[in-house]
Amino acid sequence: MSLFKSAFEHILVSRPRPSVALVTLNRPKALNALSSPLFKELNHALELADNDKDISSLVLTGSEKAFAAGADIKEMQSKTFSEVYSTDFLANWAAIKSLRKPVIAAVSGYALGGGAELALMCDIILASPTAKFGFPEITLGVIPGGGGTQRLTNIVGKSKAMELVLTGRVFGAEEAERWGVVSKVVQTEKVPGDEHLPVVHEALEMASKIASFGQLATQAGKEAVNAALDLPLSEGLRLERRLFHSLFATNDQKEGMAAFAEKRKPNFTHS
């Protein structure tokens, strides 16, 4: 099944750049609240993109007002412990972490609760100056359940994560950049002739840059960086070295190094 021939109700998909898929959350009346039907479609679309040899990188975004304002509270409020435990509720949110291709989040407006967690699942986060992040679950009598406490702590450390999780304080794009939550705050004006928000335009440009390289190398690079979060340094170094070694079995390594020596642009074939 093709990503671009599939029918979706809660997301939009397009290919605005060669080898780049753009996935847009599309529940504007609910500020892109992350309902189960939306996440089912999102996981399906991302899986199709990950398996599409013509797609090298992905951009995930929402609207100007909200990347995603959180999980769908109306859907959750009547659930019982036995229901959420027996179905392992929210476990399917982790599917995005199994993707091998790089995913860039382009965040504008609210990215709260589940929205912030979704952004943190991506590999790179670019933020509009209007972006607002936060984990307000504590105000609802619960805590983040989609990885917020774990991924946030890995990035900002224990004390800051404790503050944000236990107070529910919303923080802006500048703080997020200063703490390393986001890679960059995009300050540029809207690009003439481009329908996308500046932060989406920047994300697409970055995704295109990544897509210009060999898929095997970018996927290996992603695997190595993610391993650094889970492995002791000695094991991480070993994995990095083995991945580096393995790329010498690829045609792209031969082409890339030959092109460098011959002072020409490489023609990567993802093989």
Side-chain angles (χ1 to χ4, degrees):
M1 182 182 297
S2 169
L3 169 65
F4 304 104
K5 294 182 179 179
S6 301
F8 299 105
E9 181 180 355
H10 304 296
I11 63 174
L12 303 173
V13 296
S14 62
R15 182 159 41 190
R17 304 281 194 283
S19 302
V20 175
L22 173 63
V23 180
T24 304
L25 307 181
N26 188 39
R27 294 188 70 206
K29 293 182 179 179
L31 296 179
N32 292 329
L34 302 172
S35 64
S36 292
L38 182 150
F39 236 101
K40 182 177 180 180
E41 288 189 357
L42 178 61
N43 284 338
H44 182 52
L46 294 177
E47 180 184 9
L48 289 175
D50 207 41
N51 292 327
D52 188 334
K53 62 181 177 59
D54 294 326
I55 297 298
S56 294
S57 56
L58 300 90
V59 173
L60 177 62
T61 193
S63 66
E64 183 173 10
K65 190 173 183 179
F67 175 74
D72 194 326
I73 305 302
K74 293 180 179 179
E75 177 186 344
M76 292 193 297
Q77 64 179 345
S78 63
K79 291 184 180 295
T80 63
F81 167 75
S82 60
E83 182 180 357
V84 296
Y85 183 76
S86 63
T87 60
D88 205 8
F89 184 55
L90 299 190
N92 66 327
W93 284 30
I96 189 172
K97 293 302 296 181
S98 66
L99 299 179
R100 302 193 68 191
K101 294 174 182 175
V103 183
I104 302 172
V107 178
S108 180
Y110 295 110
L112 304 177
E117 290 175 311
L118 177 59
L120 289 178
M121 292 177 204
C122 297
D123 301 306
I124 301 169
I125 305 176
L126 301 183
S128 164
T130 65
K132 298 290 184 184
F133 300 88
F135 300 87
E137 288 89 344
I138 200 75
T139 67
L140 303 174
V142 292
I143 65 170
T149 63
Q150 306 303 297
R151 294 190 176 95
L152 184 66
T153 304
N154 277 337
I155 297 169
V156 304
K158 175 185 173 182
S159 182
K160 182 59 66 177
M162 282 287 191
E163 174 207 341
L164 297 172
V165 170
L166 298 183
T167 68
R169 179 170 77 84
V170 173
F171 55 97
E174 290 186 3
E175 282 184 298
E177 182 182 34
R178 190 163 64 246
W179 299 336
V181 174
V182 307
S183 174
K184 180 181 179 181
V185 178
V186 178
Q187 302 284 357
T188 55
E189 299 293 330
K190 189 171 177 64
V191 177
D194 193 318
E195 62 179 309
H196 300 109
L197 296 172
V199 67
V200 177
H201 175 84
E202 182 86 5
L204 290 171
E205 291 296 298
M206 183 179 290
S208 294
K209 178 71 172 178
I210 293 171
S212 71
F213 304 122
Q215 288 184 12
L216 297 174
T218 59
Q219 290 174 25
K222 172 175 174 172
E223 181 179 351
V225 172
N226 280 333
L229 298 174
D230 301 319
L231 298 177
L233 178 59
S234 60
E235 292 303 312
L237 291 170
R238 187 191 307 275
L239 174 64
E240 177 193 73
R241 194 162 59 250
R242 292 295 179 253
L243 288 169
F244 171 74
H245 292 163
S246 70
L247 291 170
F248 280 77
T250 67
N251 292 323
D252 282 348
Q253 174 267 330
K254 301 296 182 292
E255 168 63 13
M257 292 190 177
F260 178 84
E262 297 164 10
K263 298 182 179 180
R264 60 175 175 81
K265 185 178 180 180
N267 179 29
F268 294 121
T269 57
H270 315 307
S271 63

